[in-house]
Amino acid sequence: MSEQESSSPSDVGILLPPTPIPPPQEDSTLPHPRHVDDQVDATATKLFHGFNFSVVEDGRDDDDDDDDDDDDEEEDSEDDDDDDDDDDDEEEEIDRGDESEDIMDIMPQYMVQRVDKLQELNTARDKILEDYLVERAQLEKKFSDLYAPLYNRRMDIVTGELDTEIEAQAITNAKKSEENEEEVNDGDAAEEKISGIPQFWICAMGHMEQVAELVTEQDVDCLEHCINITCEDHEGGMGFTLKFYFAPNPYFSNDVLTKSYEIPNLLFSDEPILKLVKGCVIDWKPGRCLTHREVKKKQRSKSGSRAGQIRTVTKLERCDSFFHFFIPPRMPCLDDMDEDAADAIEEAFDHDYDVAQAFRCHLIPKAVLWFTGEALEEGLETDDENDDCDVEKNGSSSPSASAAATADSLEL
């Protein structure tokens, strides 16, 4: 319907309600829109608006203001309803929490009896787990004792204690293979013999990324005096201690440097929980400290009786060194620590533990393979095999069902 048609008087009898609306008089106002049907309200508004009565227009303005006020009240009412709904949701969440906490209270008695039986089974399982941990700790110690003589003999080979024995064995083997013994001896006499295997441990450490990144150029000469590294598990499998043995050297007077970790759940497959980490004090000889260096600075007094005088002050500055490994991270006061500091401390402990595990699980058991670089090559081959396996799985419609499970064997 057009604007012109909506203002035609012939349409009034059709669109307005049965009770006729009197024609507009002076000082009259339109009925409030709330008392008129929506369709009639819209039509009447257009109709009287076409008459251009100023009084009617003022009345519509007042009604619009009233409508705005009503809309505001409705919005406030809706906001209150939303708040009430939020409160109801919170109460429902609390009720759900109560239900989860008191689930045994709402269960039928016959079902409670069944749950009690399940708890008895869980208790029995915990008892078996305790026996397992005891026996596993004993088994770990049993084989650790079997490894110890082999590791001691490895140290004797590295330090040269078995040079004569090994040479004699080589001559015996040469005779058995009908080789010329004189040629063998002449070849050995052509060059001066070196005792043992120098730089054995520093070469092995240099091939392992987690450890090599800690070693600086200044550390190499000192680590050449390392003659053995061992790991001793604590009683009950509650942790372990790393021991680094050194020959007499010009850097420190310690015969052995230690780093111990107390880990109550070491034998579990869960993430380890570090209870305590202990390092040791390195007795550096004068001027040979690798973790700190002395720096002399000149300072001028600004006040007092010595104002203007210059004095020399000696300070210690931290240097990058592998030997910081024996100084474990310190846990600051938790009350004064922000989130960034907590993350930094957690990262420091994680990295420290990764280095310890690199020694315990890889470097110590397979030292000779890390010395020759074979362990590094094996790791690269394993990565390549995993990559090939991933490519085969992603590129083929039928996934490969091959799986390999191998146990780490003892390597000297």
Side-chain angles (χ1 to χ4, degrees), residues 20 56 69 75 77 129 175 250 268 325 382:
V56 173
D69 295 337
E75 291 178 0
S77 177
L129 179 61
K175 289 181 179 179
F268 286 99
F325 175 70
T382 302

Side-chain angles (χ1 to χ4, degrees), residues 75-132:
E75 291 178 0
D76 294 338
S77 177
E78 292 177 358
D79 293 338
D80 295 337
D81 293 338
D82 293 338
D83 295 337
D84 295 337
D85 293 338
D86 294 338
D87 295 337
D88 294 338
D89 293 339
E90 293 178 359
E91 292 177 0
E92 290 180 0
E93 292 178 359
I94 295 175
D95 293 340
R96 294 194 193 100
D98 294 340
E99 291 177 0
S100 61
E101 293 177 359
D102 302 328
I103 188 171
M104 298 293 289
D105 295 338
I106 64 175
M107 291 172 57
Q109 184 60 30
Y110 63 85
M111 193 174 295
V112 172
Q113 296 172 356
R114 298 169 187 172
V115 174
D116 290 340
K117 287 297 181 182
L118 293 178
Q119 291 178 341
E120 291 178 5
L121 296 178
N122 186 73
T123 302
R125 186 261 181 192
D126 292 341
K127 180 62 173 62
I128 295 175
L129 179 61
E130 292 177 1
D131 297 337
Y132 159 77

